Amino acid sequence: MTLNKIFFFLLKSLAVLVGLALVYALCGYLIPFIEVPAKKTDEPKVIEAFILTNGVHTDLVVPVKNDLMDWGKELPFDNTISKRYDFSYVSFGWGDKGFYLDTPSWAELQPSTAFVAAFGLGESAMHCTYYFEMEEGEDCKKIMLTKKQYEDLVNYIKDKFDRDKNGKVIFIETDSVYGINDAFYEAKGRYSFLETCNTWANNGLKVAGQKAAYWTPTDVGIFQHYR
């Protein structure tokens, strides 16, 4: 193969990659405008939950304990640095394990970490954070659920945890926690540019019968339906 042919092959490859990136960006912007409406129900909505974003990543937030689920039994409080147990809420965020544990800030993001995450080559983790209270705002929206909707959401979240042979969640011992009230656990699935942390949260809203985007890779795609 001559140098000219090699050059044009590389140029065409680059054009294809740029084209795919533009298509992805366009789809990531437009498709989230398609709203999946909340499912109609006559049952009373008695359980308070939230969606929470840090500006990039969406978490699903639910009560630590009620008559349907006690998350303190599923996720031992001793796995947090604070080891406190008097929390009111717990959040769940699924994502790429490498991003969570090896990238403390965007400034420290390595190209290899981004590549592995984008193309589904890495493992995943569940990030769980306890809260004493939740305050509604631009980055935190309340949703009210029926008991059936909450049970469906609980099963959706629980199913994403990887478990040992005894059925217990697998705690990740790491110093990469973000505070004194959070912990990481092994999770199922592989993060990718098609199945992001926000895609997972958005699908959880669908399972719970709440408003959601048809598909979204970003938190904006979710929160635009909760303005």
Side-chain angles (χ1 to χ4, degrees), residues 119-219:
F119 293 96
L121 301 176
E123 298 178 333
S124 61
M126 187 74 78
H127 181 218
C128 303
T129 305
Y130 288 104
Y131 295 92
F132 297 107
E133 61 182 4
M134 301 301 299
E135 183 176 346
E136 283 194 273
E138 289 298 314
D139 60 351
C140 184
K141 301 296 182 180
K142 181 170 68 174
I143 55 177
M144 296 300 297
L145 308 176
T146 68
K147 288 188 174 182
K148 176 62 167 61
Q149 288 173 337
Y150 183 59
E151 287 177 337
D152 289 342
L153 182 59
V154 166
N155 290 331
Y156 176 78
I157 294 171
K158 290 174 66 176
D159 186 58
K160 203 64 173 178
F161 282 90
D162 205 359
R163 297 173 184 273
D164 62 20
K165 62 182 180 181
N166 297 316
K168 294 185 179 298
V169 298
I170 303 171
F171 173 59
I172 300 175
E173 296 189 30
T174 176
D175 294 327
S176 298
V177 290
Y178 299 165
I180 62 173
N181 299 323
D182 67 326
F184 288 98
Y185 297 87
E186 299 286 356
K188 299 177 183 175
R190 293 185 182 275
Y191 180 102
S192 72
F193 63 87
L194 294 176
E195 183 75 16
T196 71
C197 51
N198 298 300
T199 309
W200 178 80
N202 186 67
N203 288 340
L205 292 172
K206 293 179 186 178
V207 168
Q210 304 304 297
K211 290 186 298 183
Y214 183 77
W215 170 80
T216 180
T218 69
D219 61 332

Side-chain angles (χ1 to χ4, degrees), residues 24-41:
Y24 175 76
L26 187 62
C27 290
Y29 175 74
L30 293 177
I31 294 178
F33 283 108
I34 305 173
E35 181 176 294
V36 176
K39 293 181 181 178
K40 294 182 179 180
T41 177

